[in-house]
Amino acid sequence: MQPWLEIMQLRKTIDDFQLGPIDLSFEPETIHALIGKNGAGKSTLMKMLMNLAKKDEGQIRLFGQSIQNRDESWKQHISYLPQTLIGCNSFTGLELMKLTSHWYSTWDQKYFDQLVQMFDIPLRKLYRNLSQGVQKKLSIALTLACDTDILILDEPTAHMDIPSKQMLMDILVEWMERSEKLMIIASHQTDDIRKLADYLIVLKNGQLLGKFEKEELASRYKRYFLQQPLPNKPIPGEIGRKGKQIVITQQQENTEQYLIEHQYDWIKAESLELEEIITIMLNQPIYQKGT
Amino acid sequence: MELPIQIAKDSPEPIYYQLEEQIKALIASGQLPAGSPLPSIRALSKDLEISVITTRRAYQNLEYEGFIQTTQGKGTFVADIDDTKKEKVKTETVYKAIQTAVQTALRHDYTFAEIEQIFQQVMVELREKEGS
């Protein structure tokens, strides 16, 4: 499938922080999760996609066209939910609705009303008088109802109560099925990543570790419980050990081949939780690039 | 439209294959009769916590083998499959289950004769249960 959004050799330097070079492409009907520690560059990358942060070098193409043009009609295709909305405090939900709907020709009023009802959002209160969680719900409703082709969400479930998080997950799944859509979501919630993401984009200190298909990534990692103790030197693919008989690998095939060749039997081979894999990737020194 | 499907993440069998086999078994056993709607690829992916790439692969294979049909704009449905095909899936499912059981026994250093003995014993136990 032709990608809708492409990033080529994107770079930005902020003080002593360097983001990039980043090359990525995003195909329709997929959900991409942006993953990284605080300060890894996720939000900056999202802002650059919206042309809200200036890039130093590189290109961003939307439907094959550079977004650097003066003409900003491309913004009709993307809606963006920042971590915090700025400048909304003195408006009510109703006023914000009028402002937002005015900008997007694809605005779906019926859908917005439905979201407001589901999340139980008081539209007549001033934004600043809403709790953080309700502010988030309102901004999500405003963003989703734009019904654009592409949706960029920066930590959508932060500050939300548990039932609302679960509901949002279903809403996002249904949003994806409204038509051909693309979603990019930055999140620290493993539940969001497990249930929503097709691809994981992993950023570390401004560097792109890679874009990984979820199951493909998970299949690389395994934990073996061996029957005999291992030799002291590391075995192929090994990234960690617990005692002498439990070993973790990130190259499942190589490790298994070694174990069979050297006649080590194992009692159990188990997959790692996504949370564990992400922790390993983000804590490991950079040496291996993904596809 | 939730399907009683369980993905074993620790299994050496790829996830798309597990999904494919389990949907086939649900169809062959009649639990999913012809015309039943299947969940959308996105919804099933969320429930099983897998990517749409994996689910799509399973659906494509099932469609290719004639177990399901996708109608543009309407969704995916169980296809009308003949009894010979159902029978074949049933046989394969049972055959595979027994094969796995025998392999497990072999891994635990049982001899074929011993395995046969266990098999007979299980048969006797289950017959008694059925009878009572």
Side-chain angles (χ1 to χ4, degrees):
Chain A
M1 240 182 289
Q2 275 295 102
W4 277 4
L5 187 61
E6 288 163 284
I7 299 174
M8 287 163 239
Q9 288 294 305
L10 195 68
R11 276 176 209 262
K12 184 175 179 67
T13 309
I14 308 166
D15 302 327
D16 59 352
F17 175 74
Q18 284 201 12
L19 182 69
I22 290 176
D23 287 274
L24 278 171
S25 62
F26 303 87
E27 301 77 27
E29 290 186 46
T30 55
I31 301 180
H32 288 72
L34 264 182
I35 292 160
K37 290 186 187 175
N38 305 115
K42 305 185 295 291
S43 296
T44 309
L45 179 61
M46 289 186 149
K47 281 181 196 149
M48 281 157 85
L49 286 176
M50 292 305 293
N51 214 5
L52 295 170
K54 268 190 104 115
K55 58 184 171 51
D56 296 342
E57 270 175 67
Q59 253 207 71
I60 299 170
R61 295 174 82 86
L62 179 72
F63 300 113
Q65 303 274 317
S66 170
I67 64 163
Q68 234 44 55
N69 303 337
R70 280 268 172 82
D71 168 24
E72 290 218 319
S73 60
W74 60 271
K75 284 202 169 173
Q76 285 288 317
H77 295 285
I78 308 191
S79 43
Y80 163 63
L81 175 80
Q83 255 178 56
T84 34
L85 272 180
I86 300 164
C88 295
N89 278 338
S90 51
F91 293 102
T92 65
L94 273 178
E95 286 164 335
L96 290 170
M97 175 197 93
K98 278 183 196 137
L99 284 168
T100 315
S101 61
H102 174 77
W103 281 103
Y104 288 92
S105 57
T106 45
W107 176 263
D108 187 335
Q109 187 61 43
K110 238 173 141 180
Y111 183 48
F112 179 77
D113 296 339
Q114 207 184 323
L115 292 170
V116 166
Q117 205 185 8
M118 286 172 88
F119 281 129
D120 197 15
I121 308 168
L123 286 181
R124 291 175 196 285
K125 274 194 187 175
L126 286 181
Y127 188 81
R128 67 161 167 261
N129 293 337
L130 301 172
S131 73
Q132 271 187 312
V134 180
Q135 285 181 348
K136 198 94 211 187
K137 289 174 187 170
L138 172 60
S139 40
I140 286 172
L142 288 167
T143 316
L144 291 182
C146 294
D147 205 14
T148 49
D149 296 324
I150 303 172
L151 184 59
I152 298 180
L153 303 170
D154 200 350
E155 303 239 20
T157 49
H159 308 298
M160 265 202 199
D161 56 74
I162 294 170
S164 302
K165 269 185 200 170
Q166 294 298 321
M167 193 160 75
L168 178 64
M169 218 101 72
D170 288 326
I171 290 172
L172 293 179
V173 163
E174 280 160 27
W175 184 89
M176 283 300 290
E177 296 186 314
R178 290 173 71 83
S179 58
E180 246 190 349
K181 300 278 193 191
L182 164 64
M183 191 185 295
I184 303 168
I185 169 170
S187 179
H188 294 299
Q189 313 285 329
T190 31
D191 217 29
D192 296 354
I193 302 164
R194 273 193 285 121
K195 293 207 164 89
L196 295 174
D198 302 314
Y199 291 100
L200 272 58
I201 293 169
V202 188
L203 281 176
K204 187 174 170 179
N205 303 329
Q207 301 299 303
L208 177 68
L209 289 192
K211 168 174 158 175
F212 307 92
E213 199 252 310
K214 193 166 51 178
E215 274 81 63
E216 200 272 313
L217 179 68
S219 72
R220 295 184 195 182
Y221 291 81
K222 274 260 151 66
R223 183 186 285 109
Y224 290 89
F225 296 80
L226 299 161
Q227 266 174 340
Q228 307 98 335
L230 280 169
N232 282 329
K233 67 172 173 56
I235 65 167
E238 175 176 343
I239 47 166
R241 248 183 230 200
K242 214 176 191 178
K244 285 195 150 109
Q245 277 158 261
I246 303 175
V247 65
I248 300 174
T249 168
Q250 64 177 1
Q251 293 167 30
Q252 190 261 335
E253 280 177 27
N254 292 346
T255 306
E256 198 152 313
Q257 197 188 347
Y258 173 90
L259 292 175
I260 293 169
E261 268 172 23
H262 293 77
Q263 297 181 345
Y264 286 102
D265 295 324
W266 58 90
I267 305 156
K268 198 168 103 175
E270 66 174 22
S271 305
L272 269 57
E273 291 292 331
L274 207 50
E275 203 159 5
E276 218 176 340
I277 295 174
I278 292 169
T279 305
I280 291 169
M281 292 180 88
L282 296 181
N283 284 338
Q284 222 170 30
I286 300 175
Y287 66 89
Q288 193 200 4
K289 283 229 166 188
T291 44
Chain B
M1 240 192 316
E2 282 200 20
L3 298 178
I5 287 178
Q6 292 234 309
I7 297 295
K9 296 209 161 150
D10 293 336
S11 160
E13 276 182 352
I15 291 172
Y16 75 88
Y17 182 74
Q18 293 182 36
L19 183 54
E20 218 179 296
E21 291 300 298
Q22 290 188 39
I23 293 179
K24 267 191 209 168
L26 288 171
I27 295 173
S29 66
Q31 278 173 279
L32 281 177
S36 328
L38 287 176
S40 70
I41 290 177
R42 176 59 67 191
L44 187 59
S45 303
K46 180 208 163 228
D47 288 340
L48 300 177
E49 301 186 346
I50 59 181
S51 78
V52 291
I53 298 112
T54 304
T55 310
R56 190 174 296 129
R57 185 162 175 191
Y59 271 32
Q60 273 168 354
N61 290 350
L62 287 166
E63 183 148 19
Y64 180 74
E65 291 173 67
F67 285 92
I68 62 172
Q69 265 172 336
T70 303
T71 322
Q72 201 67 45
K74 281 191 179 162
T76 306
F77 300 89
V78 174
D80 213 348
I81 56 165
D82 56 46
D83 290 343
T84 7
K85 204 164 179 181
K86 274 190 197 163
E87 215 41 60
K88 204 177 146 228
V89 174
K90 270 193 214 172
T91 319
E92 273 171 10
T93 312
V94 175
Y95 191 92
K96 235 182 108 190
I98 295 177
Q99 199 178 38
T100 314
V102 175
Q103 279 165 346
T104 310
L106 288 174
R107 258 206 312 278
H108 287 88
D109 295 329
Y110 279 77
T111 64
F112 283 103
E114 284 168 330
I115 297 169
E116 258 182 78
Q117 238 174 18
I118 298 174
F119 184 77
Q120 297 293 351
Q121 203 184 324
V122 171
M123 291 296 280
V124 171
E125 278 168 22
L126 290 179
R127 267 206 196 105
E128 271 170 15
K129 248 192 205 163
E130 288 272 296
S132 64

